[in-house]
Amino acid sequence: MTQAPARRPASRRRHDREIAALAVPAFGALVAEPLFVMADSAIVGHLGTAQLAGLGVASALLTTAVSVFVFLAYATTAAVARRVGAGDLQAAIRQGMDGIWLALLLGAAVIAITLPTAPALVDVFGASPTAAPYATTYLRISALGIPAMLVVLASTGVLRGLQDTKTPLYVAVAGFVANAALNAGLVYGAGLGIAGSAWGTVIAQCGMAAVYLGVVVRGARRHGASLRPDAAGIRASAQAGVPLLVRTLSLRAILMTATAVAARLGDADIAAHQIILSLWTLLAFALDAIAIAGQAIIGRFLGAGDTEGAREACRRMVQWGTAVGVVLGLLVIVARPVFLPLFTADPTVKDTALPALLLVALSQPICGVVFVLDGVLMGAGDGPYLAAAMLVTLAVFVPAALLVPVFGGGLTALWGAMTLMMTVRLLTLWLRTRSGRWLVTGATR
């Protein structure tokens, strides 16, 4: 009886150290990713408005294509972490190689679809006649780097599963620096224009993929894991990824619906919405870093058959998510007078954004717990439940969002619907973790 209180603080400190060791580098890597697009925009923007508009359309298409396959990182992290927990590093790396081979196959399929359909895709996204040729050029060249981008996702999942988030941070930072240098050199030094920007990004992504493959291949040779493609393993990786694909597509549908509704509300509303959505996305990176730690830690505990350790880690990460959410919410409230003028000088847009921004601030503790529980269930390999829960959330959000223009309330009401969406996610995820049905142990789920 006297030892239990002593063990509990010690256990909390151990979990805190582990969460911080995984989450902090993961946050840095996550933030580095959007910097690729920012660097491209800054360099291409000096070529002209049509070129920048073309980059905007092509980047939106590429971001959508790659984000759809983010399950390559999530599913691989969980599967590899389970094998690590079971003490079988050879099988863990073999599992990771299956995910990498799947990424290469999916990347080849995306290239085969994108190259001939690039002009039609650009037209669907509404590019102007002057911007369309630039968008098509950028899309066709950048599509050649999609296999490398997907390999980066899968390899990142392998390293996270191996409890290593520092290497992805180093690679992401080096990739950003290389991308910026290549873009500047090829766009202006070589005079290639927007095509140079695309080639710079492709080369940087291929370099990142090569570094990751080098790390994984060394690990495979060290532990005697085969590097050859295994049809059964690739098929299993794809099957594990399908529910997470459904989850991701549902989330994308929610965000697209919100943007479409905001556009119907008026110019000031859609402008304010884009500002708030950019902040919401940035805050999500901080919270997603804890979720990534959750994927790796929970998968390892369950692979080792330690359900009590998984429960303790889950509880501690929920506390982390809540605390970080509170801090982020307070920062948004304090920084709002400085934040809004960075994006607009229009008083109408500022007045429209302010109450919605306060809603975002107040909802951050909810978001913190949602991201953590999402990561916990991903780490447990509970993809089918996550897919079903997100479909339920989508079914609740869409009618609520579509009713905003009917009943009024403007952008504040729309972000009220977004808060409702996160609350529904909180409820569905909390019910699942409370049930204990996610606590399935073993090297495989």
Side-chain angles (χ1 to χ4, degrees), residues 366-445:
I366 295 174
C367 295
V369 178
V370 166
F371 274 82
V372 165
L373 295 181
D374 205 40
V376 165
L377 295 183
M378 281 186 191
D382 207 9
Y385 182 84
L386 289 172
M390 191 60 82
L391 288 172
V392 169
T393 304
L394 177 64
V396 172
F397 172 76
V398 169
L402 295 178
L403 287 173
V404 168
V406 177
F407 291 102
L411 190 67
T412 303
L414 177 59
W415 276 90
M418 289 287 285
T419 304
L420 171 65
M421 177 268 293
M422 294 302 292
T423 304
V424 172
R425 290 188 68 190
L426 174 64
L427 179 62
T428 56
L429 296 174
W430 177 78
L431 288 174
R432 184 64 168 183
T433 52
R434 182 180 172 85
S435 73
R437 294 177 184 174
W438 56 282
L439 291 164
V440 179
T441 59
T444 58
R445 184 178 170 93

Side-chain angles (χ1 to χ4, degrees), residues 63-401:
T63 301
T64 299
V66 175
S67 65
V68 162
F69 298 113
V70 73
F71 69 83
L72 288 167
Y74 293 159
T76 304
T77 297
V80 171
R82 275 184 175 269
R83 299 282 192 178
V84 170
D88 192 346
L89 288 177
Q90 183 186 72
I93 295 175
R94 175 65 258 179
Q95 187 91 44
M97 284 304 306
D98 292 335
I100 291 172
W101 280 111
L102 176 62
L104 288 169
L105 292 174
L106 291 173
V110 173
I111 288 179
I113 294 170
T114 303
L115 290 182
T117 62
L121 291 171
V122 166
D123 185 59
V124 167
F125 265 60
S128 68
T130 54
Y134 296 111
T136 301
T137 296
Y138 190 92
L139 181 60
R140 278 181 165 156
I141 296 172
S142 295
L144 300 176
I146 287 180
M149 296 179 194
L150 300 188
V151 167
V152 167
L153 282 177
S155 301
T156 300
V158 175
L159 295 181
R160 288 172 181 171
L162 293 170
Q163 319 295 297
D164 176 10
T165 57
K166 289 183 180 179
T167 300
L169 171 61
Y170 301 148
V171 175
V173 171
F176 166 71
V177 173
N179 178 69
L182 286 165
N183 269 256
L186 294 174
V187 171
Y188 299 114
L192 295 179
I194 195 169
S197 177
W199 280 117
T201 300
V202 169
I203 294 169
Q205 291 286 352
C206 289
M208 292 171 66
V211 172
Y212 274 123
L213 288 175
V215 173
V216 174
V217 168
R218 281 199 304 272
R221 287 175 175 168
R222 187 182 309 120
H223 297 287
S226 172
L227 298 174
R228 296 179 181 178
D230 176 66
I234 294 171
R235 187 165 54 250
S237 294
Q239 289 171 347
V242 168
L244 296 180
L245 175 62
V246 172
R247 169 200 168 275
T248 300
L249 290 174
S250 300
L251 182 56
R252 295 291 299 182
I254 287 171
L255 298 178
M256 289 173 65
T257 300
T259 300
V261 171
R264 292 176 60 189
L265 296 175
D267 289 347
D269 293 271
I270 185 61
H273 176 73
Q274 288 304 113
I275 293 171
I276 295 171
L277 187 61
S278 67
L279 175 64
W280 192 79
T281 303
L282 178 62
L283 297 173
F285 285 138
L287 299 173
D288 201 30
I290 306 174
I292 287 169
Q295 293 170 30
I297 293 169
I298 295 299
R300 193 192 71 234
F301 272 121
L302 293 179
D306 187 356
T307 57
E308 186 54 37
R311 284 185 185 276
E312 284 185 11
C314 176
R315 283 193 293 267
R316 193 57 181 159
M317 281 184 285
V318 166
Q319 292 169 359
W320 267 64
T322 304
V324 173
V326 169
V327 171
L328 292 177
L330 291 173
L331 287 175
V332 171
I333 292 172
V334 171
R336 72 187 188 281
V338 179
F339 174 75
L340 289 175
L342 291 175
F343 290 87
T344 181
D346 188 333
T348 303
V349 175
K350 291 180 183 178
D351 291 342
T352 301
L354 185 58
L357 197 60
L358 290 174
L359 265 180
V360 170
L362 293 173
S363 68
Q364 285 309 295
I366 295 174
C367 295
V369 178
V370 166
F371 274 82
V372 165
L373 295 181
D374 205 40
V376 165
L377 295 183
M378 281 186 191
D382 207 9
Y385 182 84
L386 289 172
M390 191 60 82
L391 288 172
V392 169
T393 304
L394 177 64
V396 172
F397 172 76
V398 169

